[in-house]
């Protein structure tokens, strides 16, 4: 079937009339090439179909929730069974206790769990617990890190006041001296240090945490009576079966989770150590749907697969296969790629591409060849992918390299210039 996007464009026109900007947040494609599909009809395994019926190997995985494949039978069967029996009732189902036990048993630093809906909920709760425990206000965060979309952390500051962003000091990720300077600036008011499991900011190369940086963050929190918080919403269960910083031998006090913990069903979590149980118990947080039972049942099955399968090892191997194949194909056509971060959370950008002209043109060519990649956001490998799927992506990438090379001079990604202008304002 020839690629077309007429139905997607029609839906976008209708959305403009009834939804501000036609879409919002990270599901908007306003900062992607013009023909990127925004509306999708279904997903199965590693693939999704847009409103026009085009099929894509989805390397965004829903921006992270798809860990075991869209429509995973065992996970979805558990969800649907609970849905039919009662989902959002006046109180939670027994699965809430079972899920808390499962997560505490899985994550080595954790003694308790609280559940919510979005990653922003979990990171905001972490901040509140830290402030409640320490009776201090200042949080130290890495510049450019993403911790959600609440006023205290949203990347764009439209509609945000100075008071919303008060009591924050910033440091450079992986820079011990910068971290120490930020803690010093916080003085006697330090409540917490926030850290991403890896540096996975948009638009720039990813970095693993150095052991020196991670250890120093732990030491500084201990020295100042502050809490170390690892925001594992994006990378949780994709780097390790434990908290991601278990890979560098550092235990946080709190960790936030979301995205993949129920394979796409809506639930997130805050996990914490025993010393902070009372602080967690005495903040007021809730939501109309936070105690819904069906996502908890889905999460229990997901965690069982995390425990009992080799999903992690397979996603790493598949990511390495993709990385090697694209490197070889790019070189054959005279392009240089910057592939950074863990292979199972790949960020793929071009050398000598400050205006993202190559990245945008290549991803646009990939869309037309049935592969959904992103020019400036990290992607994800899911356990439903196979070697054949990866080889298909590499073949499509090879053909896309050939196409953009033949196109000659490429236009800069002017949409990003507008974004950065608004961010500066």
């Amino acid at each position: 079937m020839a690629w077309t996007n007429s139905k997607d464009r029609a839906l976008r026109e209708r959305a403009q009339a009834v939804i501000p900007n036609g879409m919002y947040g990270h599901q908007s494609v306003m900062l992607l090439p013009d023909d990127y599909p925004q509306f999708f009809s279904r997903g199965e395994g590693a693939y999704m179909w847009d409103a026009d019926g085009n099929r894509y190997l989805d390397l965004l995985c829903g921006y992270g929730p798809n860990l075991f494949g869209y429509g995973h039978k065992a996970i979805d069967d558990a969800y649907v069974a609970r849905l039919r029996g009662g989902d959002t009732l006046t109180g939670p189902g027994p699965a809430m206790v079972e899920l808390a036990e499962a997560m505490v048993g899985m994550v080595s630093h954790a003694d308790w769990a609280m559940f919510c809906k979005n990653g922003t909920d979990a990171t905001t709760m972490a901040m509140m617990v830290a402030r409640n425990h320490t009776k201090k206000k200042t949080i130290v965060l890495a510049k450019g890190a993403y911790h959600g979309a609440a006023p205290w952390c949203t990347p764009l500051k439209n509609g945000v006041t100075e008071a919303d962003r008060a009591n924050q000091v910033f440091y450079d990720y992986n820079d011990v001296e910068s971290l120490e300077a930020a803690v010093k600036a916080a003085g006697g008011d330090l409540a917490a240090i926030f850290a991403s499991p890896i540096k996975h900011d948009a638009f720039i190369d990813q970095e693993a945490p150095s052991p020196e940086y991670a250890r120093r963050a732990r030491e500084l929190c201990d020295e100042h009576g502050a809490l170390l918080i690892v925001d594992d919403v994006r990378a949780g269960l994709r780097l390790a079966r434990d908290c991601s910083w278990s890979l560098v031998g550092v235990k946080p006090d709190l960790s936030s989770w979301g995205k993949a913990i129920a394979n796409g069903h809506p639930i997130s979590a805050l996990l914490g150590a025993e010393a902070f149980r009372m602080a967690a118990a005495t903040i007021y947080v809730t939501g109309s749907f936070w105690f819904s039972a069906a996502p908890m049942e889905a999460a229990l099955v997901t965690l069982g697969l995390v425990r009992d399968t080799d999903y992690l090892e397979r996603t790493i191997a598949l990511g390495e296969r993709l990385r090697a194949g694209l490197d070889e194909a790019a070189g054959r056509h005279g392009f240089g790629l910057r592939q950074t971060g863990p292979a199972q959370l790949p960020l793929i950008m071009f050398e000598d591409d400050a205006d993202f002209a190559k990245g945008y043109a290549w991803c646009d060519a990939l869309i037309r060849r049935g592969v959904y990649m992103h020019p400036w956001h990290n992607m994800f490998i899911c356990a439903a992918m196979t070697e054949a799927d990866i080889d298909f992506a590499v073949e499509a990438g090879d053909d896309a390299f050939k196409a953009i090379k033949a196109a000659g001079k490429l236009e800069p990604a002017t949409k990003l210039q507008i974004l950065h202008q608004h961010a500066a304002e």
Side-chain angles (χ1 to χ4, degrees):
M1 181 176 66
W3 189 91
T4 179
N5 67 342
S6 59
K7 292 182 180 179
D8 188 82
R9 285 190 175 277
L11 283 167
R12 290 201 218 183
E13 290 179 10
R14 291 167 57 191
Q16 286 287 348
V18 291
I19 299 170
N21 203 41
M23 188 55 69
Y24 45 88
H26 67 280
Q27 297 293 358
S28 170
V29 296
M30 64 177 292
L31 296 178
L32 292 174
D34 289 340
D35 289 333
Y36 255 60
Q38 183 163 278
F39 295 94
F40 297 91
S41 60
R42 68 185 181 98
E44 181 180 336
Y47 289 82
M48 62 181 180
W49 285 257
D50 67 19
D52 288 272
N54 303 303
R55 188 187 82 154
Y56 306 97
L57 176 64
D58 181 19
L59 285 157
L60 261 289
C61 290
Y63 281 86
N66 178 15
L67 181 61
F68 285 101
Y70 292 123
H72 188 282
K73 187 177 188 316
I75 296 171
D76 287 2
D77 282 353
Y79 180 91
V80 171
R82 182 63 269 165
L83 190 67
R84 288 173 174 160
D87 179 22
T88 304
L89 306 175
T90 300
M96 183 176 184
V97 179
E98 297 171 30
L99 182 57
E101 291 171 339
M103 294 205 75
V104 166
M106 179 183 74
V107 177
S108 58
H109 79 83
D111 296 298
W112 51 264
M114 299 171 71
F115 301 105
C116 38
K117 280 298 168 198
N118 296 292
T120 303
D121 300 330
T123 57
T124 301
M125 288 165 61
M127 179 178 65
M128 293 172 67
V129 170
R131 286 175 169 168
N132 191 32
H133 178 81
T134 62
K135 309 306 178 187
K136 298 174 182 178
K137 302 185 297 296
T138 302
I139 56 173
V140 166
L141 310 100
K143 297 173 187 174
Y146 181 76
H147 295 297
W152 70 270
C153 59
T154 183
L156 298 182
K157 298 180 182 178
N158 297 336
V160 175
T161 68
E162 290 184 7
D164 293 325
R165 309 298 277 254
N167 308 305
Q168 297 182 1
V169 180
F170 292 90
Y171 69 94
D172 296 318
Y173 193 95
N174 257 346
D175 187 325
V176 171
E177 290 186 3
S178 176
L179 175 62
E180 291 173 339
V183 169
K184 184 177 180 180
D189 193 44
L190 180 65
I193 295 174
F194 267 80
S196 300
I198 59 173
K199 183 179 178 65
H200 49 47
D201 310 353
F203 305 107
I204 60 175
D205 294 344
Q206 297 188 114
E207 296 177 22
S210 70
E212 295 77 16
Y213 155 69
R215 286 196 297 265
R216 189 60 180 142
R218 177 70 273 171
E219 291 168 357
L220 288 166
C221 285
D222 294 339
E223 291 168 11
H224 293 268
L227 278 66
L228 177 60
I229 301 167
V230 169
D231 177 0
D232 229 345
V233 170
R234 187 183 305 189
L237 304 183
R238 292 189 176 274
L239 300 183
R241 292 176 175 86
D242 196 343
C243 176
S244 292
W245 268 24
S246 65
L247 298 177
V248 288
V250 172
K251 289 187 178 182
D253 300 306
L254 306 175
S255 59
S256 52
W257 299 72
K259 290 193 183 290
I261 64 173
N263 200 52
H265 294 289
I267 188 169
S268 56
L270 175 67
L271 306 186
E274 181 64 34
F276 314 105
R277 184 188 295 268
M278 184 54 65
T282 52
I283 60 171
Y284 186 79
V285 289
T286 191
S288 298
F289 308 103
W290 282 20
F291 301 99
S292 299
M296 295 181 183
E297 295 283 2
L300 280 169
V301 178
T302 303
L303 295 187
L305 294 169
V306 167
R307 182 188 62 241
D308 297 335
T309 71
D310 65 346
Y311 84 99
L312 180 58
E313 294 74 20
R314 287 191 293 110
T315 56
I316 292 171
L318 290 171
E320 291 172 345
R321 187 183 186 94
L322 177 68
R323 179 164 291 179
L326 290 178
D327 264 341
E328 193 275 333
R332 189 163 58 249
H333 294 285
F335 294 106
L337 292 182
R338 301 201 320 270
Q339 300 198 67
T340 60
Q344 69 272 35
L345 277 82
L347 177 63
I348 304 171
M349 297 192 296
F350 282 75
E351 299 282 4
D352 303 317
D353 193 32
D355 60 9
F356 285 85
K358 297 174 186 175
Y360 265 53
W362 186 63
C363 285
D364 186 51
L366 281 168
I367 278 289
R368 297 167 186 277
R369 289 159 175 77
V371 177
Y372 196 105
M373 286 194 187
H374 202 290
W376 47 262
H377 190 287
N378 79 271
M379 290 165 285
F380 304 86
I381 303 296
C382 79
M385 294 176 186
T386 65
E387 290 187 352
D389 293 327
I390 298 301
D391 293 345
F392 166 64
V394 171
E395 181 180 352
D398 182 90
D399 199 42
F401 288 130
K402 181 179 179 180
I404 65 171
K405 184 176 182 179
K409 183 174 174 56
L410 301 169
E411 293 297 320
T414 55
K415 295 178 177 183
L416 295 187
Q417 297 170 10
I418 296 170
L419 170 69
H420 295 317
Q421 178 183 339
H422 283 302
E425 294 172 353

